[in-house]
Amino acid sequence: KKRNKAEKAARRAKVKAEREQAAAAGEQQGQAAQAAKKGQAGGGKDAAGAAQKGQKNAAVPRRGSAQAGSAATEKKEDKNVAVFGHLYGHPRRTTIAGAAKEVHPAVLALGLQIRDYVVCGSSARCVATLLAFKRVIESYTTPLGTSLARHLTTHLSHQISYLSTCRPLSISQGNAIRALKLSISSIDPSVPEATAKASLCDFIDSFIREKITVADQVIANSAAQKINDGDVIVTFAASSIVKQTLLTAHKQGKKFRVSIIDSRPLFEGKNLARSLANAGLEVQYSLIHGISHAIKDATKVFLGAHAMMGNGRLYSRVGTALVAMSAKERSGGVEIPVIVCCETVKFTDRVALDSIVVNEIADADELVTTQPRQQVTGVPDPGALRMSPAIRRPTPIMSPTRLLA
């Protein structure tokens, strides 16, 4: 019995020792596997880091490489002029997409018309803006919990912001908007909404009548007295007040000739020449490159104005300064009087020393003729060889001239 017990104890000790050895071997194998995994992961990270470094090094263009050349080409393709950098701003709106929901349909249509030069001219834009705001006021309803004087000003700000994205506001538009806002802010909150809206509409009508309609008549009558029989009147492009002045002088029975100088891109002088010719005036039409010939026989120069600055500078469409200086420097040493017709709604306290500080940049493609040309002779078309550089057109230009009214 003792022998059997000893054998059993020996077998148990042997089995226990084998189990301990097997467990120790399993732990060693697990540690080895974990170490192998860590080594593989570390190697992968090193490989990934090396790949990223390689990509970064590949992304950095070397001198003389093709990528460096393309980057330099992209920089050269930027055609914005640095001196006009403050004039570029946001691009003009091309559609009504993205307009605020508060914008009235009449203002939406007006913005597109101003952008496409359907409504062109400082006075015309001012009148059209006020009439559009009149429709906005007529359809306006004051929300609950607020007053008309406070909320209507905010409502008009959405309309003004939309118009400014279509084309920068003119000086006359800015003066009219300030006058309208001042009239709105002076309304007593106790006044009924219908009465307040009627008073604002009457204010808009009286503003247009006094500041533009009647003012144009007074200026036209005063300027017509400067025209004598036998005069040769030179004007640039088209101005509504200059047109009214010439027609008034013609109705008074004065015999004179009109020479119209015009330029790209709008050729506004064509409509003025057509209107004056239909009224019975003798009209001569020429482009601005023939100004030396057109100014040769001139006796007076009549110009319109976009605005009149606080220092007496004229702010008008591009080319006005060239016409004024050509009249002053005419061959023969004879200085031709330059008369500017300008309403007081176009006066501003701003001071501008040149045409770079305050100006407007339009699309350069407007200077290029897109209509197909017709060949009238057998010689090759020289226009096919002419280069058309991308030129940014600064619309208004400064011109020191004399103020009439």
Side-chain angles (χ1 to χ4, degrees):
K1 291 181 180 179
K2 292 182 179 179
R3 185 178 179 181
N4 293 335
K5 289 181 180 180
E7 291 178 356
K8 288 181 180 179
R11 285 197 297 269
R12 289 175 182 173
K14 185 178 180 180
V15 171
K16 186 177 180 181
E18 291 177 355
R19 289 178 180 176
E20 290 177 355
Q21 291 178 0
E27 290 179 0
Q28 291 179 358
Q29 290 179 359
Q31 291 177 359
Q34 290 179 359
K37 289 182 180 179
K38 288 182 179 180
Q40 291 178 359
K45 288 181 180 178
D46 294 340
Q52 290 178 357
K53 289 181 180 179
Q55 291 178 358
K56 289 181 180 179
N57 294 333
V60 176
R62 298 180 179 177
R63 291 185 179 179
S65 63
Q67 293 181 357
S70 62
T73 305
E74 291 178 357
K75 289 184 179 179
K76 290 182 180 179
E77 289 178 355
D78 185 10
K79 297 181 181 179
N80 291 345
V81 184
V83 72
F84 299 134
H86 63 288
L87 300 177
Y88 290 107
H90 298 285
R92 290 189 181 183
R93 180 184 295 274
T94 57
T95 62
I96 61 175
K101 62 180 181 180
E102 295 86 359
V103 181
H104 194 272
V107 179
L108 291 174
L110 176 62
L112 297 181
Q113 291 174 349
I114 292 177
R115 181 208 63 183
D116 296 333
Y117 303 104
V118 176
V119 178
C120 188
S122 182
S123 299
R125 291 163 63 187
C126 179
V127 172
T129 302
L130 289 176
L131 293 178
F133 286 172
K134 182 179 178 181
R135 295 183 60 182
V136 172
I137 294 173
E138 290 174 348
S139 61
Y140 171 78
T141 302
T142 306
L144 296 176
T146 184
S147 62
L148 182 142
R150 179 173 298 179
H151 185 266
L152 182 56
T153 304
T154 306
H155 185 63
L156 286 180
S157 299
H158 296 288
Q159 326 295 325
I160 298 168
S161 300
Y162 169 78
L163 291 178
S164 62
T165 58
C166 296
R167 188 180 176 187
L169 298 178
S170 63
I171 300 297
S172 58
Q173 283 179 299
N175 292 337
I177 290 171
R178 279 190 291 271
L180 179 59
K181 286 186 174 181
L182 181 61
S183 178
I184 294 173
S185 61
S186 62
I187 295 177
D188 192 346
S190 61
V191 176
E193 180 179 339
T195 306
K197 291 166 61 176
S199 64
L200 290 176
C201 293
D202 292 339
F203 171 80
I204 291 176
D205 293 336
S206 62
F207 186 92
I208 295 174
R209 181 174 59 255
E210 295 174 4
K211 298 295 184 179
I212 297 178
T213 305
V214 177
D216 287 354
Q217 295 175 358
V218 174
I219 294 174
N221 293 330
S222 178
Q225 298 177 4
K226 307 290 183 181
I227 301 176
N228 302 320
D229 291 336
D231 279 345
V232 178
I233 307 299
V234 173
T235 185
F236 177 68
S239 173
S240 59
I241 183 62
V242 172
K243 174 184 175 181
Q244 189 172 350
T245 299
L246 298 176
L247 293 177
T248 301
H250 179 68
K251 291 178 181 178
Q252 294 175 357
K254 298 180 179 180
K255 304 296 182 182
F256 59 94
R257 182 162 56 90
V258 180
S259 178
I260 299 175
I261 302 173
D262 205 2
S263 68
R264 291 178 184 271
L266 300 180
F267 294 107
E268 300 173 90
K270 290 183 179 181
N271 294 329
L272 177 61
R274 188 179 297 108
S275 300
L276 296 180
N278 293 335
L281 278 79
E282 184 180 354
V283 180
Q284 176 185 350
Y285 179 87
S286 60
L287 296 179
I288 197 167
H289 54 71
I291 187 173
S292 58
H293 176 73
I295 209 75
K296 182 172 57 177
D297 299 329
T299 57
K300 294 181 180 67
V301 176
F302 280 81
L303 298 175
H306 176 86
M308 188 62 65
M309 294 295 177
N311 58 346
R313 292 293 185 95
L314 173 64
Y315 185 45
S316 188
R317 56 179 52 82
V318 61
T320 304
L322 181 59
V323 175
M325 289 186 292
S326 298
K328 181 177 177 60
E329 302 295 337
R330 194 184 73 166
S331 59
V334 180
E335 293 187 3
I336 305 172
V338 178
I339 302 173
V340 178
C341 302
C342 180
E343 302 91 335
T344 55
V345 73
K346 299 178 182 178
F347 285 18
T348 179
D349 295 334
R350 299 180 186 177
V351 175
L353 302 179
D354 52 36
S355 59
I356 299 177
V357 178
V358 181
N359 215 309
E360 178 184 345
I361 293 181
D363 188 7
D365 294 336
E366 295 176 1
L367 295 173
V368 183
T369 303
T370 57
Q371 298 178 355
R373 298 182 181 139
Q374 296 180 357
Q375 189 69 31
V376 295
T377 61
V379 298
D381 185 7
L385 303 177
R386 186 177 62 187
M387 300 298 293
S388 299
I391 303 174
R392 295 286 181 178
R393 177 175 63 90
T395 304
I397 195 168
M398 310 305 299
S399 170
T401 50
R402 184 164 62 89
L403 176 64
L404 175 64

